[in-house]
Amino acid sequence: MSIQKIGVVGAGTMGNGIAQSCAVIGIPVVMTDIAQAAVERGLKTIDGSLERLVKKEKLTAEAKARAMGLVRTSTDTAALKDCDLVIEAATENLELKLKLFAALDGLAKPDAIIASNTSSISITKLAAATKRPDQVIGMHFFNPVPMMQLVELIRGLATSDTTYASVEAVTKQLGKTPVKVKNSPGFVVNRMLCPMINEAVFALSEGLATAQEIDDAMKLGCNHPIGPLALCDLIGVDVELAVMQVLYEGFKDSKYRPAPLLVEMVEAGYLGRKSGRGFYTYG
Ligand code: NAD
């Protein structure tokens, strides 16, 4: 099935990045959110991001105007009813997403594909909330979406080959590289990345080295562009904890137990960059 129009549910960090990536390649996109303020913030972020590309001469002013003209916004999910693909990028919460999937199933075109950008929730579970589980798939983009190459495509138990093929094609059209992944806690990247960050938190709490030394060691020793603790601050300390909990509960394997310091930092409200303090402090 060829995808002519895309809907994005949630205008936050990921949603506005996904909408931008679609509009830039000429696909009309409808971006919805529950709050008008969130929709406006999302649109402003897209505008600012495209403007930076114009300043860097990576995009012409005309191309920016064309892309902005392709983004429609709404606070009413009914605005998604004529989309061929709806990508859900709302808050990471199982109850919320189950409700959303049932609602989207009720209003989307019968042949429309419904995808989720979830980092940790089972695609099979979300698909079961609809009457079209064969047309449900995971499209796990990375942050910041316009810059990051990878999209993990997650097949639920019922996802059909045609759904996979359509979503694989549109992912390539977006200029991204799809990697096919089985539905499993953390998929591929978070399954490996989050335990590494968690281990860095254990190392810090054991006094192995300071945060700066741990980060410098991984940058210089492994050629990582950013150290694990600085990365944790960027991702969000709460998000890292949530993923570790999903891995721990999903596999029932003690190797995924969250570092106690991670739990304590979340209790203290040290959530990383977004709260001004995590493993480092931010102005
Ligand atoms: P965010 O908090 O920045 O944005 C979520 C948006 O969803 C908010 O604007 C909120 O108002 C909106 N929302 C909540 N309920 C809604 C509803 N019923 N209908 C429409 N909109 C609704 O979150 P985010 O970081 O963009 O994450 C979104 C999804 O992407 C999550 O599932 C997350 O796990 C996943 N994800 C996040 C990252 C990341 O680095 N932030 C990376 C990959 C995947």
Side-chain angles (χ1 to χ4, degrees), residues 198-210 214 257 259-261:
N198 193 47
E199 201 58 35
V201 182
F202 270 116
L204 177 71
S205 53
E206 286 167 18
L208 220 62
T210 64
I214 290 169
R257 72 202 182 287
L261 177 60

Side-chain angles (χ1 to χ4, degrees), residues 9 12-14 33-34 89-92 97 117 119 140-141 143:
V9 182
T13 311
M14 298 304 287
D33 204 291
I34 31 167
T91 313
E92 187 80 343
K97 288 197 198 269
N117 184 47
S119 303
H140 187 219
F141 289 85
N143 184 12

Side-chain angles (χ1 to χ4, degrees), residues 41-55:
R41 231 179 3 254
L43 202 57
K44 207 167 144 219
T45 303
I46 298 176
D47 189 75
S49 166
L50 293 177
E51 190 54 38
R52 278 194 297 280
L53 292 177
V54 172
K55 288 218 172 84

